[in-house]
Amino acid sequence: MLEAKNLMVFYENMLALNNISIACPENSIVGIFGANSAGKSTLMYALSGIMLDIRKKEKMAGGERITLSGDILFKDQNINDMEPSRRARAGIVLCPERRRLFKESSVLENLRIGGYLATRAQARQTLEYVMTIFPALEKLRHRLGGFLSGGEQQMVAIGRALMAQPKVLLLDEPLMGLSPLMQSALMKATRSIQRETKISVIVSEQYARPVFPIVDYAYILENGSAVMEGTKEELMDNPDVKSAYFGVS
Ligand code: ATP
């Protein structure tokens, strides 16, 4: 459904993504694992098209040159030049790193902002769904974004992305800074969302452990290169993966 083929991204002379090819088939959850600076966010920006905006801004400001090559395909169509807003409308929705909620707006307002691409009926229905999947948000409807815990903020961030009616949801490091309990709850919720709505999910994280139980397939990035890939079972059976990403040997 969403694919990157031979993707290369340079920030000026620095190679951030080195010939990356990944595929997220319909109805699946794909994990992207890698340490700090491995290139996870760069990949998410390339898939969502935000990289085109970043590149434009840098160019206008006379800043560093960002070079992109390779292909992004959505439903087998090349979308290299498709603006991020059009990609979102087509169903590629990014839930960015660090959540980026509107801190001065309530939970409800934050969620409704996400629904700008939806019809009124869709927005109403999805809002109800978000409250079912994250019941903790029900009593926080009127709480300001800035007064939520990290976990609650992440629920709102995922809920807001769902309001945009995604076909593929891109979750960039959704678990950063959260307790193990919250991490596990969020990943279970993500699995339920995928099963119930049939949307596909690409989720990036530094640590594979909390995400692994829910992925169908995963890629491991190191310094911008995909060094390993496989189904959950294949990766679990690999001793290198075990010691590097699970701390067991
Ligand atoms: P993190 O876990 O820290 O978010 P990441 O895996 O998401 O890491 P990226 O943010 O994609 O990694 O960064 C990949 C590399 O590209 C890093 O070396 C980073 O410093 C560099 N980089 C990212 N954005 C820019 C930019 N706008 N200009 C220059 N270099 C950048």
Side-chain angles (χ1 to χ4, degrees):
M1 164 168 256
L2 184 60
E3 281 176 82
K5 280 194 175 158
N6 307 111
L7 198 61
M8 310 269 281
V9 176
F10 287 89
Y11 295 111
E12 206 75 58
N13 296 322
M14 204 213 87
L15 181 58
L17 288 184
N18 183 10
N19 203 22
I20 296 282
S21 296
I22 68 148
C24 177
E26 237 167 277
N27 224 343
S28 63
I29 301 186
V30 168
I32 308 285
F33 302 121
N36 257 333
S37 299
K40 304 180 296 294
S41 297
T42 301
L43 178 59
M44 293 296 197
Y45 289 153
L47 292 169
S48 59
I50 286 169
M51 190 54 87
L52 300 182
D53 274 359
I54 298 175
R55 187 172 62 173
K56 218 185 283 171
K57 275 189 199 132
E58 285 288 349
K59 201 170 174 185
M60 272 160 50
E64 64 184 0
R65 203 156 46 90
I66 298 175
T67 317
L68 238 85
S69 69
D71 292 307
I72 308 284
L73 306 176
F74 182 53
K75 297 180 177 167
D76 298 320
Q77 305 272 330
N78 188 306
I79 57 163
N80 283 5
D81 299 324
M82 196 191 269
E83 296 288 323
S85 55
R86 280 190 54 220
R87 292 193 202 187
R89 206 156 281 146
I92 304 169
V93 177
L94 174 68
C95 186
E97 193 179 359
R98 284 181 243 286
R99 292 137 208 164
R100 298 185 197 277
L101 294 191
F102 295 100
K103 299 224 158 75
E104 311 284 319
S105 303
S106 70
V107 164
L108 216 47
E109 286 161 346
N110 268 284
L111 290 171
R112 289 205 172 119
I113 290 162
Y116 74 104
L117 295 172
T119 63
R120 282 174 89 112
Q122 281 172 329
R124 201 175 328 111
Q125 215 171 20
T126 312
L127 188 61
E128 234 169 73
Y129 180 65
V130 170
M131 294 299 175
T132 327
I133 213 88
F134 298 123
L137 295 184
E138 187 66 62
K139 61 178 188 309
L140 300 172
R141 279 170 175 256
H142 302 293
R143 174 110 20 122
L144 297 185
F147 288 95
L148 299 171
S149 71
E152 291 159 356
Q153 286 188 22
Q154 189 59 53
M155 292 178 202
V156 178
I158 295 176
R160 183 179 59 182
L162 289 177
M163 292 290 287
Q165 314 299 310
K167 295 195 168 61
V168 187
L169 180 61
L170 309 179
L171 299 178
D172 194 7
E173 296 198 53
L175 306 181
M176 195 193 279
L178 304 181
S179 70
L181 210 64
M182 180 56 76
Q183 293 187 344
S184 149
L186 279 171
M187 288 299 92
K188 278 193 191 133
T190 304
R191 189 28 123 186
S192 303
I193 292 168
Q194 196 286 315
R195 290 218 171 110
E196 289 162 13
T197 64
K198 307 292 177 217
I199 60 178
S200 295
V201 179
I202 302 181
V203 50
S204 81
E205 264 306 324
Q206 211 162 326
Y207 300 105
R209 193 192 284 269
V211 185
F212 226 73
I214 71 158
V215 302
D216 299 302
Y217 199 86
Y219 297 83
I220 296 181
L221 299 189
E222 269 177 29
N223 298 320
S225 299
V227 291
M228 242 177 286
E229 63 174 270
T231 61
K232 178 162 52 187
E233 293 73 24
E234 284 163 356
L235 292 172
M236 275 305 275
D237 285 344
N238 183 317
D240 292 340
V241 175
K242 265 193 183 165
S243 62
Y245 292 90
F246 292 92
V248 290
S249 46

